[in-house]
Amino acid sequence: MGEVIKVMGLKKSFDNDGVVTDVLNGLDFSIQQGEFVAIMGPSGSGKSTLMHILGFLDKPTVGKYFFAGQDVSNYQDDELAEMRSQQVGFIFQAFNLLPRTTVLDNVMLPLLYSSLPKEKRLAQAQAAIESVGLTARINNLSNQLSGGEKQRVAIARALVNNPAVIFADEPTGNLDSRSGLQIMRILQDLNLHHQHTIILVTHEKYTAEHAERIIHMRDGLIESDRPVTDRQLAHNGQELKK
């Protein structure tokens, strides 16, 4: 399908009043279009910093980052913002929804500065909401939803721009096991049946095993990068095919 992400010698350091902390210590890997990859590791391993760089929220200190064959390593803030708005979608542990705002308006938020006509924006938002099974809640306020429903709204919001890559940062961390399984079912469906590239950041082994490949990080390095041989199924026993 083609390479969507490639990093070479990626390093990230933070300078706090002259005290330099190395967070990423030289990473090399690639992700193909249509892959479902989990980035796993303990707290402080560098996985969230890596996600921020891959999702155009931060820049590497050293190294190369290619997105869809394009070297984005030295992009300026406005260029990163454009890539962020057009190429990627985010799902966060804390949902990050606007309170006292409808499901529809939350999902339409990434399209706020789009050049699309209002009718097209509305249609895309409605389709995204339908894809996560929340059409009946489209006019509900976000603070009227359960945790699982809020995360489904966050998934719809991530989908609304039809991004090249969806980043899911601990998407089940604030959910009970039943709601968490429902979220993983939606992510697997988006990957398997709609060919979305998904990068899942988690510290939980069970959650990571819903992906098809796990990059395990420790101390800012890749400890292992392997396919999942016994993949967890969120589809009630249905066989996963790809």
Side-chain angles (χ1 to χ4, degrees), residues 169-180:
D169 189 7
E170 302 280 6
T172 63
N174 282 342
L175 304 177
D176 59 51
S177 58
R178 182 172 177 272
S179 297

Side-chain angles (χ1 to χ4, degrees), residues 124-144:
Q124 285 186 205
Q126 289 170 332
I129 292 166
E130 182 180 359
S131 74
V132 298
L134 280 180
T135 299
R137 300 289 246 164
I138 195 167
N139 292 315
N140 282 87
L141 303 181
S142 62
N143 56 358
Q144 296 173 326

Side-chain angles (χ1 to χ4, degrees), residues 105-170:
D105 286 340
N106 267 288
V107 173
M108 288 184 71
L109 192 62
L111 302 175
L112 190 61
Y113 299 107
S114 169
S115 60
L116 292 172
K118 184 176 180 180
E119 294 78 11
K120 180 68 172 174
R121 283 181 279 153
L122 183 61
Q124 285 186 205
Q126 289 170 332
I129 292 166
E130 182 180 359
S131 74
V132 298
L134 280 180
T135 299
R137 300 289 246 164
I138 195 167
N139 292 315
N140 282 87
L141 303 181
S142 62
N143 56 358
Q144 296 173 326
L145 306 178
S146 68
E149 288 171 332
K150 288 178 180 177
Q151 195 59 292
R152 284 155 67 191
V153 174
I155 293 173
R157 182 184 58 194
L159 287 172
V160 75
N161 267 338
N162 192 29
V165 180
I166 296 171
F167 292 94
D169 189 7
E170 302 280 6

Side-chain angles (χ1 to χ4, degrees), residues 23-24 39 42 44-54 57-58 169-170 201 217:
V23 179
L24 300 178
I39 299 174
S45 62
K47 61 186 187 296
S48 292
T49 298
L50 175 59
M51 189 200 76
H52 289 163
I53 292 173
L54 298 181
L57 292 164
D58 203 352
D169 189 7
E170 302 280 6
V201 175
M217 296 185 63

